[in-house]
Amino acid sequence: MPVQTQNATAGRWLWTCRAGFEPHLFEELEWAEASPRMLGEALVESDAPEGPPPAFARAGYQVLATLPPGPADAQADAVARTLTSQRGARPWVLQAFTPDTPRGNTLTAAAEALEAAVRARLPAERLLGDAQRAREASALLVGLCVAPDGVAVLGLVAAREALSLAPGGRRRMRREGESPSRAAMKLEEALDGLAFEPGRGDVCVDLGAAPGGWTQRLVARGAKVVAVDPARLMPELTAHARVKHVQQSAFAYAPEAPVDWLFCDMAWRPLEVAQLLAKWGRRGWAGHLVANIKLPMKDKNPILHRVRHILVEDGGWEGLTLRQLYHDRDEVTVTAHRMR
């Protein structure tokens, strides 16, 4: 890790990640032969990698420029000149962010000031205020990364190709009601990144459901849930008309008929969970998959490689994504579907 944050290189890609996971992101990009370089805490740069996007990256931007040090107004002038010189007239979503680290978080006010100064210099008709509309509007995400040691980077990514629509990939979900744990927020963030989500009338199986964080959020969307876990659920879920609690091991359970969605968040060994999910795909028991895979302390990338192989080659799951989301810790979130 560099002692001071390094400037990014124009034309390469700037990746953000969870603090402490820079070596895993670096290794992942090195395996992809993308010539990675550590820039600082929670920041790695590389060439554009071929194949699936890096699992340990929260967000990625192609670097347009490293901004000269100085006051926000001077930097904003440089950003405005660079952006308006780009060809095309697609709308912009302007997002300033800092690395998600203790040092980075002290720069939040500076990032907000830079964003406001840039916004005042850009044509209002090109600025899209709602990031959630960015993909349907074919917008470009403009990332202004304000990092420690005077480093500020201007990056760009097409919203339809972006790993996250949140600034720097920090997709904070609100904890609603009396959710039993952060598990509910992990699910909300995973569903937020999908083109569609379970709704009224959909049948879902939640493996390892207790105490019921994921089941609770699925029921709130109108879905019917088969909650599989030997342990007890929250009382309000046990009595819910759209919840069926099967007190059985997830590894022994088999559905009576194929279901719409399979969900799984179990504190279990990753390869055994992957084999269980592959069985569901191979037998056509579910159309869509959202799962959380816990990672070991060491050899995270080799395990992820094996998990990917098991799910795709053995399970037949398609459109597979593996991402360490904002609310994930030593884990990744998996999404996939199965054509029937």
Side-chain angles (χ1 to χ4, degrees), residues 263-302:
F263 294 88
C264 180
D265 183 21
M266 298 195 304
W268 205 261
R269 290 180 286 271
L271 297 184
E272 293 181 24
V273 173
Q275 289 161 359
L276 172 62
L277 302 178
K279 180 176 72 172
W280 277 73
R282 187 168 58 249
R283 298 185 180 181
W285 285 351
H288 301 276
L289 169 67
V290 178
N292 207 256
I293 301 286
K294 314 304 176 187
L295 297 177
M297 293 299 293
K298 298 180 179 179
D299 297 328
K300 288 179 170 58
N301 278 305

Side-chain angles (χ1 to χ4, degrees), residues 201-223:
D202 282 350
V203 178
C204 308
V205 168
D206 183 7
L207 300 179
W214 285 28
T215 294
Q216 184 186 59
R217 302 314 307 148
L218 296 170
V219 167
R221 285 170 159 77

Side-chain angles (χ1 to χ4, degrees), residues 171 173-174 176 179 183-194 196-204 213-225 237 240 242 261 263 290:
R171 185 67 176 99
M173 310 306 294
R174 261 184 331 125
E176 298 193 20
S179 298
M185 293 187 288
K186 290 193 299 182
L187 176 63
E188 293 292 336
E189 186 181 5
L191 294 178
D192 183 67
L194 297 178
F196 59 96
E197 58 187 48
R200 191 167 302 279
D202 282 350
V203 178
C204 308
W214 285 28
T215 294
Q216 184 186 59
R217 302 314 307 148
L218 296 170
V219 167
R221 285 170 159 77
K224 301 175 183 178
V225 183
L237 292 177
H240 201 290
R242 283 186 277 108
W261 292 81
F263 294 88
V290 178

Side-chain angles (χ1 to χ4, degrees), residues 238-262:
T238 302
H240 201 290
R242 283 186 277 108
V243 176
K244 178 182 178 182
H245 183 197
V246 177
Q247 291 188 276
Q248 186 178 356
S249 164
F251 293 93
Y253 174 76
E256 297 176 358
V259 299
D260 300 298
W261 292 81
L262 172 63

Side-chain angles (χ1 to χ4, degrees), residues 2 18 32 61 97 130 136 139 246-247 255 258 270-271 284-285 301 304 314 325:
R18 185 178 183 87
Y61 306 86
F97 64 92
D130 184 3
E136 63 189 57
V246 177
Q247 291 188 276
L271 297 184
W285 285 351
N301 278 305
L304 281 186
D314 298 345
L325 302 179

